[in-house]
Amino acid sequence: MYWNPEVECAPREEIERRQFESLRGLVANLYDNNPFYRGKMDGHGVKPGDIRCLEDISKLPFMYKDDLRDNYPTKLFTVPTTDIVRYHVSSGTTGKPTLVGYTREDLEYWTESLARALTSVGITDEDTIQVSYGYGLFTGGLGLHYGAERVGASVLPSSTGSTERQLELMVDLGVTAIACTPSYLIHMIEVAGKMGIDFRRDTKLRIAVLGAEPWTDAMRKIIEESAGIRAYDIFGTSEMAGPMFTECGEQDGIHLSWDMVYPEIIDPETGEVLGPGEEGELVVTMLKKEALPMVRFRLRDVTAIIEGPCKCGRTSPRIRRITGRTDDMLIVRGINVFPSQVEHALLQVPELTGHYQITVDRIGALDVMKVEAEIDPDAFSDKMEDLMSIKKRAEGIMKKYLNIGVRIELREHGSLPRYEGKGSRVKDMRSMK
Ligand code: DLL
């Protein structure tokens, strides 16, 4: 079933023609009206007239998350703030967040994108969908919420947390679909077991829309089998709008709406554009965004473009599941965590030094993060209560900066490894499992 068959199944030539029209209009408009993009293009020696076909996009300079951070909060916005109808915020590398803004039209396309995506996984107006992504500054909750309402499903906006209550509601309301992180669904299944709720026997759940963090086909199999459902991957980032694109019923790659995004895969080292099937870093140009345009934005996510049409009949480009990131951002329980944020937070505690080690592991279904931190020798004390007070303070500050609970383990000065040159302060045990 399609939401917008004319667009979703458009012939290839029409797609390319219309993408080029959008790109040309976008570049000309940004060059004429926006000092940031004009400066970037001039610095790169490229003019709007140089873009004569879609492939010429590779002549344009890249945009980075740093561009957003450096221009925080609204310097990159291309519309007056009176035209902004919503903001969302995502965490950034130095503890400074990235702010994204939306015009009414931006929200409209975002919702349209999710209506197409949810329809493609089989969600209709007969479904009741529990949205267990965080509502608020994170894009997951509200994004899925409006998409699901657009297809006419009944939405249960449960957000995150209160798992037992969520499970009771799932049973009582006969919820048929859920949107959350894959790790949260696994956690829910475990908690349900303890409550005597069997997903297969006691719920009507049939579809899960899972994303915001990397997960594997092996994880999909476990979820599908234990809950008796079909689980689909959903992808998106705050800079694109939020969650936007999913797999279809074929579960063979994520469909990207061609009228909204032009994807490229590049070699992260050289910036060279790679061909279909080749794995590299995903770069997106958003063709419709008004408030905060994105031209060749480097997402740092690693994937490949899948060549050829999909069995479902959609002609849009597809990407493979995201396999990792080219930078060091960690995703812990769906929340982005940068090692530099940890450092930033730790250094707010005067008794701690800059020597630390991060370990992320998965215990049961939940990600847990531990930070070992060295105490300044001058602040060292052999009184237990002094040490406990430092630990408590550090954990409080960490929670404030990272938005997740982190266990701090204090270490004696000199006990953690030292590095010459680049350090490797992060141990992600999840990738070793
Ligand atoms: O995570 C938006 C989202 C919400 C997507 C709900 C899906 C569902 P950000 O917080 O800006 O936005 O984080 C974006 O999360 O660059 C990826 O590294 C990662 N990510 C998102 N979806 C997936 C996925 C939202 N399906 C960053 N698989 C992205 C792997 C994902 N990684």
Side-chain angles (χ1 to χ4, degrees), residues 82-106:
T82 45
D83 289 351
I84 302 286
V85 294
R86 171 109 59 89
Y87 294 110
H88 281 288
V89 176
S90 132
S91 46
T93 43
T94 55
K96 205 176 185 189
T98 308
L99 179 79
V100 291
Y102 306 75
T103 63
R104 208 170 282 289
E105 199 62 8
D106 287 334

mmCIF file of all heavy atoms in Angstrom, residues 82-106:
data_model
loop_
_atom_site.group_PDB
_atom_site.id
_atom_site.type_symbol
_atom_site.label_atom_id
_atom_site.label_comp_id
_atom_site.label_asym_id
_atom_site.label_seq_id
_atom_site.Cartn_x
_atom_site.Cartn_y
_atom_site.Cartn_z
ATOM 1 N N THR A 82 9.874 34.691 13.198
ATOM 2 C CA THR A 82 8.408 34.708 13.222
ATOM 3 C C THR A 82 7.826 33.597 12.342
ATOM 4 O O THR A 82 6.677 33.194 12.534
ATOM 5 C CB THR A 82 7.865 36.059 12.713
ATOM 6 O OG1 THR A 82 8.580 36.411 11.528
ATOM 7 C CG2 THR A 82 7.997 37.153 13.755
ATOM 8 N N ASP A 83 8.600 33.105 11.381
ATOM 9 C CA ASP A 83 8.107 32.009 10.527
ATOM 10 C C ASP A 83 8.381 30.631 11.122
ATOM 11 O O ASP A 83 7.959 29.613 10.583
ATOM 12 C CB ASP A 83 8.765 32.055 9.135
ATOM 13 C CG ASP A 83 8.247 33.225 8.315
ATOM 14 O OD1 ASP A 83 7.276 33.868 8.758
ATOM 15 O OD2 ASP A 83 8.811 33.495 7.243
ATOM 16 N N ILE A 84 9.138 30.609 12.228
ATOM 17 C CA ILE A 84 9.440 29.318 12.857
ATOM 18 C C ILE A 84 8.250 28.918 13.732
ATOM 19 O O ILE A 84 7.779 29.711 14.546
ATOM 20 C CB ILE A 84 10.701 29.427 13.763
ATOM 21 C CG1 ILE A 84 11.915 29.905 12.966
ATOM 22 C CG2 ILE A 84 10.985 28.108 14.484
ATOM 23 C CD1 ILE A 84 12.518 28.898 12.042
ATOM 24 N N VAL A 85 7.792 27.682 13.525
ATOM 25 C CA VAL A 85 6.666 27.229 14.356
ATOM 26 C C VAL A 85 7.070 26.142 15.350
ATOM 27 O O VAL A 85 6.279 25.736 16.192
ATOM 28 C CB VAL A 85 5.471 26.742 13.511
ATOM 29 C CG1 VAL A 85 4.862 27.886 12.723
ATOM 30 C CG2 VAL A 85 5.879 25.619 12.563
ATOM 31 N N ARG A 86 8.293 25.621 15.236
ATOM 32 C CA ARG A 86 8.743 24.584 16.191
ATOM 33 C C ARG A 86 10.263 24.551 16.238
ATOM 34 O O ARG A 86 10.924 24.797 15.235
ATOM 35 C CB ARG A 86 8.221 23.220 15.726
ATOM 36 C CG ARG A 86 8.777 22.005 16.472
ATOM 37 C CD ARG A 86 7.779 21.323 17.377
ATOM 38 N NE ARG A 86 6.608 20.848 16.666
ATOM 39 C CZ ARG A 86 6.508 19.637 16.110
ATOM 40 N NH1 ARG A 86 7.510 18.774 16.175
ATOM 41 N NH2 ARG A 86 5.401 19.262 15.506
ATOM 42 N N TYR A 87 10.788 24.245 17.395
ATOM 43 C CA TYR A 87 12.220 23.960 17.555
ATOM 44 C C TYR A 87 12.394 22.557 18.101
ATOM 45 O O TYR A 87 11.561 22.071 18.861
ATOM 46 C CB TYR A 87 12.862 24.903 18.591
ATOM 47 C CG TYR A 87 12.914 26.362 18.206
ATOM 48 C CD1 TYR A 87 12.114 27.296 18.864
ATOM 49 C CD2 TYR A 87 13.787 26.806 17.222
ATOM 50 C CE1 TYR A 87 12.174 28.653 18.534
ATOM 51 C CE2 TYR A 87 13.851 28.165 16.886
ATOM 52 C CZ TYR A 87 13.045 29.073 17.550
ATOM 53 O OH TYR A 87 13.117 30.393 17.225
ATOM 54 N N HIS A 88 13.502 21.923 17.743
ATOM 55 C CA HIS A 88 13.964 20.729 18.451
ATOM 56 C C HIS A 88 15.449 20.910 18.720
ATOM 57 O O HIS A 88 16.106 21.719 18.057
ATOM 58 C CB HIS A 88 13.728 19.456 17.635
ATOM 59 C CG HIS A 88 12.314 18.969 17.686
ATOM 60 N ND1 HIS A 88 11.767 18.398 18.809
ATOM 61 C CD2 HIS A 88 11.325 18.976 16.759
ATOM 62 C CE1 HIS A 88 10.515 18.068 18.570
ATOM 63 N NE2 HIS A 88 10.210 18.415 17.323
ATOM 64 N N VAL A 89 15.961 20.158 19.674
ATOM 65 C CA VAL A 89 17.363 20.307 20.058
ATOM 66 C C VAL A 89 18.014 18.931 20.123
ATOM 67 O O VAL A 89 17.428 17.985 20.624
ATOM 68 C CB VAL A 89 17.473 20.997 21.434
ATOM 69 C CG1 VAL A 89 18.927 21.065 21.889
ATOM 70 C CG2 VAL A 89 16.878 22.399 21.388
ATOM 71 N N SER A 90 19.222 18.866 19.571
ATOM 72 C CA SER A 90 19.962 17.595 19.672
ATOM 73 C C SER A 90 21.309 17.874 20.315
ATOM 74 O O SER A 90 21.824 18.979 20.221
ATOM 75 C CB SER A 90 20.092 17.002 18.270
ATOM 76 O OG SER A 90 21.390 16.599 17.985
ATOM 77 N N SER A 91 21.874 16.857 21.001
ATOM 78 C CA SER A 91 23.108 17.118 21.741
ATOM 79 C C SER A 91 24.296 17.320 20.802
ATOM 80 O O SER A 91 24.350 16.764 19.724
ATOM 81 C CB SER A 91 23.380 15.968 22.700
ATOM 82 O OG SER A 91 23.186 14.757 22.029
ATOM 83 N N GLY A 92 25.251 18.105 21.240
ATOM 84 C CA GLY A 92 26.387 18.425 20.379
ATOM 85 C C GLY A 92 27.702 18.014 21.003
ATOM 86 O O GLY A 92 27.731 17.461 22.093
ATOM 87 N N THR A 93 28.798 18.296 20.305
ATOM 88 C CA THR A 93 30.091 17.742 20.723
ATOM 89 C C THR A 93 30.701 18.360 21.980
ATOM 90 O O THR A 93 31.475 17.725 22.660
ATOM 91 C CB THR A 93 31.126 17.875 19.592
ATOM 92 O OG1 THR A 93 30.982 19.158 19.036
ATOM 93 C CG2 THR A 93 30.931 16.826 18.558
ATOM 94 N N THR A 94 30.387 19.618 22.278
ATOM 95 C CA THR A 94 31.043 20.203 23.454
ATOM 96 C C THR A 94 30.037 20.484 24.548
ATOM 97 O O THR A 94 30.232 21.344 25.393
ATOM 98 C CB THR A 94 31.701 21.551 23.091
ATOM 99 O OG1 THR A 94 30.677 22.365 22.523
ATOM 100 C CG2 THR A 94 32.847 21.380 22.167
ATOM 101 N N GLY A 95 28.952 19.785 24.503
ATOM 102 C CA GLY A 95 27.907 20.051 25.479
ATOM 103 C C GLY A 95 27.000 21.150 24.968
ATOM 104 O O GLY A 95 25.944 21.407 25.522
ATOM 105 N N LYS A 96 27.411 21.800 23.862
ATOM 106 C CA LYS A 96 26.578 22.840 23.285
ATOM 107 C C LYS A 96 25.620 22.162 22.307
ATOM 108 O O LYS A 96 26.063 21.396 21.449
ATOM 109 C CB LYS A 96 27.468 23.818 22.532
ATOM 110 C CG LYS A 96 26.887 25.195 22.397
ATOM 111 C CD LYS A 96 27.911 26.073 21.732
ATOM 112 C CE LYS A 96 27.483 27.491 21.661
ATOM 113 N NZ LYS A 96 28.392 28.272 20.830
ATOM 114 N N PRO A 97 24.342 22.401 22.450
ATOM 115 C CA PRO A 97 23.407 21.665 21.607
ATOM 116 C C PRO A 97 23.299 22.215 20.185
ATOM 117 O O PRO A 97 23.787 23.304 19.892
ATOM 118 C CB PRO A 97 22.084 21.851 22.334
ATOM 119 C CG PRO A 97 22.224 23.138 23.062
ATOM 120 C CD PRO A 97 23.679 23.317 23.364
ATOM 121 N N THR A 98 22.652 21.437 19.328
ATOM 122 C CA THR A 98 22.315 21.908 17.990
ATOM 123 C C THR A 98 20.826 22.190 17.985
ATOM 124 O O THR A 98 20.038 21.337 18.386
ATOM 125 C CB THR A 98 22.583 20.793 16.956
ATOM 126 O OG1 THR A 98 23.904 20.339 17.137
ATOM 127 C CG2 THR A 98 22.401 21.306 15.555
ATOM 128 N N LEU A 99 20.500 23.383 17.537
ATOM 129 C CA LEU A 99 19.092 23.757 17.495
ATOM 130 C C LEU A 99 18.590 23.633 16.055
ATOM 131 O O LEU A 99 19.253 24.094 15.132
ATOM 132 C CB LEU A 99 18.959 25.219 17.946
ATOM 133 C CG LEU A 99 17.551 25.794 17.951
ATOM 134 C CD1 LEU A 99 16.802 25.333 19.190
ATOM 135 C CD2 LEU A 99 17.602 27.315 17.919
ATOM 136 N N VAL A 100 17.464 22.979 15.883
ATOM 137 C CA VAL A 100 16.864 22.949 14.550
ATOM 138 C C VAL A 100 15.487 23.611 14.616
ATOM 139 O O VAL A 100 14.810 23.535 15.645
ATOM 140 C CB VAL A 100 16.765 21.510 13.974
ATOM 141 C CG1 VAL A 100 18.141 20.960 13.648
ATOM 142 C CG2 VAL A 100 16.064 20.563 14.931
ATOM 143 N N GLY A 101 15.106 24.289 13.538
ATOM 144 C CA GLY A 101 13.836 25.007 13.512
ATOM 145 C C GLY A 101 13.028 24.596 12.282
ATOM 146 O O GLY A 101 13.591 24.133 11.288
ATOM 147 N N TYR A 102 11.742 24.767 12.365
ATOM 148 C CA TYR A 102 10.836 24.316 11.300
ATOM 149 C C TYR A 102 9.829 25.403 10.965
ATOM 150 O O TYR A 102 9.258 26.005 11.878
ATOM 151 C CB TYR A 102 10.032 23.092 11.758
ATOM 152 C CG TYR A 102 10.867 21.931 12.266
ATOM 153 C CD1 TYR A 102 11.468 21.998 13.519
ATOM 154 C CD2 TYR A 102 11.036 20.787 11.503
ATOM 155 C CE1 TYR A 102 12.233 20.947 13.997
ATOM 156 C CE2 TYR A 102 11.801 19.718 11.980
ATOM 157 C CZ TYR A 102 12.398 19.814 13.221
ATOM 158 O OH TYR A 102 13.149 18.775 13.691
ATOM 159 N N THR A 103 9.589 25.617 9.686
ATOM 160 C CA THR A 103 8.446 26.447 9.293
ATOM 161 C C THR A 103 7.238 25.508 9.233
ATOM 162 O O THR A 103 7.383 24.288 9.304
ATOM 163 C CB THR A 103 8.643 27.051 7.887
ATOM 164 O OG1 THR A 103 8.719 25.966 6.945
ATOM 165 C CG2 THR A 103 9.902 27.907 7.807
ATOM 166 N N ARG A 104 6.078 26.090 9.018
ATOM 167 C CA ARG A 104 4.869 25.275 8.891
ATOM 168 C C ARG A 104 5.029 24.268 7.740
ATOM 169 O O ARG A 104 4.663 23.113 7.836
ATOM 170 C CB ARG A 104 3.679 26.209 8.622
ATOM 171 C CG ARG A 104 2.375 25.663 9.107
ATOM 172 C CD ARG A 104 1.294 26.712 9.033
ATOM 173 N NE ARG A 104 1.355 27.683 10.117
ATOM 174 C CZ ARG A 104 1.042 27.414 11.395
ATOM 175 N NH1 ARG A 104 0.666 26.211 11.756
ATOM 176 N NH2 ARG A 104 1.105 28.356 12.309
ATOM 177 N N GLU A 105 5.606 24.757 6.643
ATOM 178 C CA GLU A 105 5.818 23.905 5.472
ATOM 179 C C GLU A 105 6.828 22.773 5.779
ATOM 180 O O GLU A 105 6.669 21.647 5.319
ATOM 181 C CB GLU A 105 6.337 24.801 4.330
ATOM 182 C CG GLU A 105 6.216 24.249 2.933
ATOM 183 C CD GLU A 105 4.789 23.986 2.462
ATOM 184 O OE1 GLU A 105 3.811 24.367 3.172
ATOM 185 O OE2 GLU A 105 4.652 23.367 1.399
ATOM 186 N N ASP A 106 7.854 23.094 6.550
ATOM 187 C CA ASP A 106 8.834 22.064 6.947
ATOM 188 C C ASP A 106 8.140 20.941 7.726
ATOM 189 O O ASP A 106 8.414 19.763 7.518
ATOM 190 C CB ASP A 106 9.931 22.661 7.844
ATOM 191 C CG ASP A 106 10.903 23.546 7.078
ATOM 192 O OD1 ASP A 106 11.072 23.350 5.864
ATOM 193 O OD2 ASP A 106 11.498 24.446 7.719
#
